[in-house]
Amino acid sequence: MQVGKGELLSTDNSAVQLALAETQLLQEVKEFLTAEGVNLDSFTSSKRSKNVLICKNIPFGTQDRELNELFSPHGTIGRLVLPPTGTIAIIEFVEQGDAAKAYKKLSYTKFKNLPLYLEWAPEETFASQFKPEDRKVYRTIEDDLAEMDHATLFVKNLNFTTTERDLKEFFLKCGTVTNVTIAKKASPKSPGGWLSRGYGFVEFGSKESAKDAIKKLNGKLLQDYAVELKLSEKQITKVPETITKERNMEEKSAKLLVRNVPFETTSKDLHNLFSAFGTLKHIRLPKKLAGTGKHRGFAFVEFSSRAEARAAFEATGDSTHLYGRRLVVEWAKEDATVEQMISKTAAVFGTEESKAKKKSKKIEELL
């Protein structure tokens, strides 16, 4: 269906928008299934397959390799199809007996934080017979760990009362834990206080411990919440002490400093983002050279009052992303100059930027 996002949003009727969006989503799923060799006409049949299962109620964000790891211990999987929506999958076993074992063992079992619903798929679910060469080879946790230079896990679905000490004790059974951090935001009801964002990071002393934790603790309850674990793309890094002090200090102005601003960002983008928290007095996005159009990667956002600036600071915190990059929002000194900010930003983020440049150069050399 050739319907663009702009067309979906061009009507003022929300019911029509929803209907169009649902229609497009269903069409995209149908096209995906067809491309994967699924015979959509078979779903009108009442006859059931003996080696193909339909798995429903899959937690959003689940990857096909995670389902492969869940089902493959019960037998050899021929084909596994997981549409982009990620909430339902079709799983074909090579042997009928293996499919029956998986159905018996995994029906209604909890995967991550949801129970799985299994049913037999229609006969001739796939348009063609399975061929061994069609079997997909999935990356394993071991493959990912081998390419990583750290052993850090990303932990989701934490109880908001869980502390870093609780989190560390929970993972100690899998090995040495070298670092633990829970993402926090400023508490609007308690000045100087912090609230958990419900996720965090755990760094182990070895990759084996990290792998063991994923296998043993993924989906297990921590203070009545089923934690979700996956390998983190980045290692835990400590926030520089100077930055920590500035984030915790009581605001003395109505001006914020916004770092890590994507280079495609415009002043209008920042205005649209921060005007939601109050009346803006001034926005400054310093440029590298006059007439180049490129800015320096940070901005000053000044509100009409300290209360409005505080609201923006507490709301955006460390979790607001713009064009795929996480904005770092801090209090700006009233007399801060562009030169001071350039020097300070380079001191804090220069190492990461240098790494990125080196990586980019290596990629260019390979091309």
Side-chain angles (χ1 to χ4, degrees):
M1 188 171 105
Q2 300 301 317
V3 180
K5 292 182 180 178
E7 294 176 81
L8 288 177
L9 300 175
S10 63
T11 175
D12 293 331
N13 190 320
S14 58
V16 173
Q17 291 180 22
L18 183 61
L20 286 173
E22 182 181 23
T23 301
Q24 184 179 24
L25 180 61
L26 289 173
Q27 184 63 27
E28 289 175 353
V29 171
K30 288 179 181 179
E31 291 174 356
F32 176 85
L33 293 175
T34 300
E36 292 293 319
V38 176
N39 175 21
L40 297 180
D41 292 335
S42 69
F43 286 83
T44 60
S45 172
S46 59
K47 295 181 179 180
R48 300 289 100 179
S49 171
K50 294 182 179 180
N51 69 313
V52 182
L53 297 172
I54 294 178
C55 181
K56 297 180 177 180
N57 205 40
I58 300 170
F60 180 76
T62 296
Q63 299 178 1
D64 53 1
R65 74 172 186 177
E66 293 179 275
L67 290 179
N68 182 70
E69 290 175 1
L70 179 66
F71 282 87
S72 59
H74 303 287
T76 303
I77 294 176
R79 285 172 282 193
L80 191 158
V81 179
L82 179 66
T85 51
T87 57
I88 185 171
I90 300 173
I91 302 156
E92 177 189 43
F93 282 88
V94 174
E95 301 294 336
Q96 294 181 5
D98 294 337
K101 284 192 298 183
Y103 180 87
K104 183 177 180 180
K105 292 285 187 180
L106 298 177
S107 289
Y108 303 107
T109 57
K110 185 173 286 188
F111 175 59
K112 296 184 178 179
N113 60 327
L114 294 175
L116 295 178
Y117 303 142
L118 300 182
E119 61 182 59
W120 293 103
E123 278 190 351
E124 299 180 353
T125 297
F126 288 94
S128 62
Q129 293 293 319
F130 168 71
K131 299 177 182 178
E133 56 266 29
D134 294 335
R135 189 162 179 255
K136 182 178 178 180
V137 178
Y138 293 91
R139 287 180 61 85
T140 64
I141 295 175
E142 288 81 359
D143 294 332
D144 288 341
L145 283 170
E147 296 179 0
M148 295 170 60
D149 57 0
H150 59 89
T152 306
L153 299 185
F154 175 56
V155 189
K156 282 176 60 180
N157 200 40
L158 290 175
N159 189 317
F160 291 111
T161 62
T162 297
T163 64
E164 291 177 347
R165 181 177 180 179
D166 296 330
L167 196 58
K168 183 174 183 178
E169 290 179 354
F170 180 72
F171 284 99
L172 277 175
K173 63 191 75 173
C174 295
T176 303
V177 177
T178 59
N179 205 347
V180 172
T181 182
I182 291 177
K184 301 180 181 71
K185 62 181 178 181
S187 172
K189 297 182 179 179
S190 176
W194 299 93
L195 297 174
S196 167
R197 292 184 181 274
Y199 68 88
F201 299 87
V202 177
E203 185 176 339
F204 287 90
S206 70
K207 294 181 180 181
E208 284 300 316
S209 296
K211 181 178 71 174
D212 195 40
I214 289 180
K215 290 185 174 181
K216 291 182 178 179
L217 300 179
N218 191 27
K220 297 298 182 181
L221 295 180
L222 172 58
Q223 297 180 340
D224 299 323
Y225 279 55
V227 297
E228 298 177 26
L229 308 177
K230 70 175 184 178
L231 294 174
S232 173
E233 295 180 359
K234 295 183 179 181
Q235 188 174 11
I236 298 176
T237 55
K238 294 183 179 181
V239 178
E241 186 178 355
T242 54
I243 299 299
T244 303
K245 288 180 179 179
E246 288 182 8
R247 288 182 183 174
N248 292 339
M249 75 175 184
E250 183 179 355
E251 64 274 20
K252 296 181 180 179
S253 73
K255 184 189 292 185
L256 299 177
L257 168 63
V258 186
R259 301 182 191 275
N260 205 33
V261 178
F263 291 109
E264 61 265 46
T265 302
T266 63
S267 295
K268 184 177 179 181
D269 292 329
L270 292 175
H271 184 278
N272 291 338
L273 175 63
F274 286 96
S275 62
F277 306 102
T279 303
L280 294 174
K281 188 175 178 181
H282 184 67
I283 287 182
R284 188 180 181 191
L285 194 58
K287 295 188 176 181
K288 291 184 177 180
L289 293 172
T292 63
K294 294 183 178 180
H295 62 76
R296 296 182 178 275
F298 64 88
F300 295 103
V301 178
E302 187 173 4
F303 287 84
S304 295
S305 69
R306 294 180 184 178
E308 292 170 328
R310 186 190 310 116
F313 175 82
E314 293 176 349
T316 54
D318 293 323
S319 64
T320 299
H321 289 73
L322 184 61
Y323 293 117
R325 298 185 70 176
R326 180 179 64 83
L327 300 180
V328 180
V329 183
E330 305 167 9
W331 291 105
K333 293 182 180 180
E334 197 67 51
D335 57 350
T337 66
V338 173
E339 289 71 24
Q340 288 174 331
M341 292 304 101
I342 293 172
S343 176
K344 199 170 186 182
T345 300
V348 177
F349 298 105
T351 303
E352 291 300 319
E353 185 177 354
S354 177
K355 288 181 180 178
K357 287 182 179 178
K358 287 181 181 179
K359 183 178 179 181
S360 177
K361 186 176 181 181
K362 287 182 179 180
I363 294 174
E364 289 176 0
E365 291 173 353
L366 293 174
L367 296 178

